[in-house]
Amino acid sequence: MLDAIFSGISIGSVLLIAALGLAIVFGLMGVINMAHGELMMLGAYTTFLVQNLFKSFGEGAFEIYIFPALIAAFIVTAIAGVILERGVVRFLYGRPLETLLATWGVSLMLQQFVRSINWVMAIGLVLFCALFFGAWGLLGKRANWVAIKTQALSILLPVSAGISIAVGSLLAQQFKLTVTKPWFGAQNVDVTAPRWLRGGIPIGDSQLPSTRLFIIALTILCLLGLYWFLNRSLWGLRIRAVTQNRSMSACLGIATNTVDSLTFALGSGLAGIAGSAIALLGSVGPNTGQNYIVDTFMVVVVGGVGKLVGSIVAALAIGTASFLIGSGTLAAVFEKIPPLAEFFNFFATASMAKVMVFAAIIVFLQVRPGGLFPQKGRTVES
C-alpha cells in the first residue's frame, strides 16, 4: 500500500505540473487550449536535444544536462505559446468553441511538424518568421497602419511563404539527403536520466525512485515560483487585474495585449517543464501530449477553474486513485469481500481505471459543478 500511495502521488505530481500551465491559460484567461499537450511534447523533445548536446561534451557535462534542459524547454515552449496566442488565440477571445477547434487544429499540425521537421523545413520557417514578422513590425509603426492592416496581411503572407518555399526547394535540390532527412520521424525517442537520478531511496522493504522524487520536488518549486509570481510581482498583479476586470485595467494604463501574451507564455513554459519531467519517465513520441491532455483538463475542472490549491488536491487525488485502481491494489485490499474484489479486478488496468475515475468525476461535478474550490464574487455571479 505504501508503494502504491507513493506511486499515485508521483503520478499526481506529473499531472499537477502538467496542469499548472493549463490552469493559468484556462483558469485565468478562459481559453480552452487543446494544443497544451503538444506544448508538453515540444518540451520533451527539447530535453532530448539538450541531452544529445551535452552527451558530446563528456560524461561530466551529461550529469547536469537536466537543469539546462528545463530552462531550454521553458523558453522554447514559451515562445511557441506567444506565437500561438498572437497568431491564433488573440482573434478568438470570447469564442470558446472556435478557440477549441482552432487549437485542436494547431495540435495536429504540431504533431505532424515533429514527425516531418528537417533542416529544409527549419530554415524555411526561420526565414518565413523573419520576413513576415519583421515586415509586420515595421509596417505597424506607420500612422495609417489600421487602414492598411488587412491589405498588408494579404500581401506579406503569400510573399513570405513563397520566398521561404523557394529557398527550401533550392536547398533540397542542392543538398538532397543531408538536409531533407527528418530529425525525429514517427518513432519514439528515449531520454536517459543522469546517473544520480537512476537509483532510489530505500525505506524498509520499499524503494522510492529518485526520478519521481525529483519530479515531486520540481513540482513544488514550480508551485512556489508560480505563487510568488502571481501574488508578489508587478506583472503578476497586472495579470490578476486583467483577469478580474479587463476594461478597467486598460483604463488604468495596463497593456492588456501584453498581459495576454505573457500569461500564455507562462502557461506554455510550464507545459514545457512538464514535458521535460515526463521525458524522464519513458520514451517520447509525437503523440505524447495526447496521453495527458484529458487528465490535465480533469484536474483543472475538478479543482476549480483558476484555483491552484484546487489543482493540487485534484491532481493528487486523481493520480492516487488511478494508480490504486489500475494497479489492482484496491482489489487486493478488498480480497476478503468478494463482490468488491471482483468489481475492482474488472477495472484493474490503466485504461479501465481511467474510465472509472472519469465516471466518478462526472458524478462529482453533478454535485459540485464549480469543482472543489469554486470561484466566488461578483465577477462570477455576473
Side-chain angles (χ1 to χ4, degrees):
M1 179 61 75
L2 179 62
D3 290 340
I5 291 176
F6 173 75
S7 298
I9 291 174
S10 63
I11 292 174
S13 298
V14 173
L15 288 179
L16 178 57
I17 198 172
L20 280 178
L22 192 63
I24 292 177
V25 175
F26 181 45
L28 299 185
M29 301 179 68
V31 173
I32 303 176
N33 181 18
M34 293 300 294
H36 188 79
E38 277 57 47
L39 293 172
M40 294 164 57
M41 178 261 296
L42 288 181
Y45 273 101
T46 302
T47 304
F48 172 74
L49 291 176
V50 174
Q51 168 201 253
N52 292 343
L53 175 63
F54 274 71
K55 272 184 180 179
S56 62
F57 295 154
E59 187 66 25
F62 178 78
E63 290 300 313
I64 61 169
Y65 85 87
I66 189 62
F67 300 108
L70 289 170
I71 298 173
F74 182 89
I75 294 173
V76 168
T77 51
I79 293 173
V82 171
I83 294 174
L84 176 60
E85 193 274 334
R86 295 206 168 187
V88 178
V89 177
R90 175 164 294 186
F91 306 102
L92 300 174
Y93 283 126
R95 291 180 282 177
L97 181 59
E98 294 179 23
T99 305
L100 185 150
L101 293 174
T103 53
W104 179 65
V106 171
S107 72
L108 297 179
M109 293 171 62
L110 287 175
Q111 290 179 35
Q112 191 58 43
F113 169 79
V114 169
R115 294 188 183 100
S116 308
I117 183 66
N118 53 40
W119 283 111
V120 171
M121 183 182 295
I123 294 172
L125 286 173
V126 171
L127 182 59
F128 172 81
C129 292
L131 292 173
F132 180 80
F133 291 108
W136 189 269
L138 291 175
L139 291 174
K141 299 178 181 179
R142 293 173 60 94
N144 61 339
W145 170 237
V146 176
I148 66 172
K149 188 175 182 180
T150 303
Q151 184 180 1
L153 179 63
S154 62
I155 296 174
L156 288 177
L157 191 61
V159 169
S160 301
I163 294 174
S164 302
I165 293 172
V167 172
S169 300
L170 289 174
L171 288 174
Q173 294 175 4
Q174 186 71 25
F175 305 99
K176 294 181 180 177
L177 294 177
T178 56
V179 294
T180 57
K181 183 180 178 181
W183 292 355
F184 310 113
Q187 69 276 10
N188 288 4
V189 297
D190 293 317
V191 173
T192 304
R195 187 183 295 111
W196 54 276
L197 284 179
R198 296 176 199 169
I201 299 176
I203 298 181
D205 296 332
S206 305
Q207 188 176 38
L208 306 183
S210 299
T211 302
R212 293 188 179 273
L213 289 172
F214 176 77
I215 292 174
I216 292 173
L218 179 63
T219 304
I220 294 173
L221 287 176
C222 289
L223 277 171
L224 293 176
L226 185 60
Y227 178 83
W228 176 87
F229 179 79
L230 291 178
N231 293 278
R232 296 291 185 267
S233 69
L234 178 60
W235 278 106
L237 176 64
R238 290 171 179 170
I239 288 174
R240 289 187 289 120
V242 172
T243 300
Q244 293 178 15
N245 194 320
R246 177 177 292 269
S247 300
M248 183 59 68
S249 300
C251 292
L252 293 173
I254 297 176
T256 56
N257 289 337
T258 303
V259 170
D260 291 337
S261 298
L262 177 63
T263 305
F264 222 91
L266 180 60
S268 301
L270 288 171
I273 294 178
S276 293
I278 291 167
L280 295 174
L281 299 177
S283 59
V284 177
N287 298 321
T288 295
Q290 295 298 310
N291 299 329
Y292 291 91
I293 185 65
V294 175
D295 291 339
T296 52
F297 266 112
M298 287 195 298
V299 168
V300 175
V301 173
V302 171
V305 176
K307 298 292 184 178
L308 293 181
V309 176
S311 297
I312 296 171
V313 176
L316 296 179
I318 292 174
T320 304
S322 297
F323 189 83
L324 289 176
I325 297 170
S327 64
T329 303
L330 287 183
V333 170
F334 294 104
E335 184 178 2
K336 295 182 180 181
I337 308 176
L340 287 177
E342 292 179 6
F343 175 78
F344 285 113
N345 267 326
F346 178 77
F347 290 97
T349 61
S351 57
M352 291 303 295
K354 282 190 175 183
V355 172
M356 185 175 179
V357 171
F358 188 66
I361 289 173
I362 292 176
V363 174
F364 171 78
L365 292 178
Q366 300 304 309
V367 180
R368 292 182 65 90
L372 291 170
F373 299 91
Q375 289 182 325
K376 298 178 182 179
R378 287 175 294 177
T379 304
V380 178
E381 293 170 359
S382 62

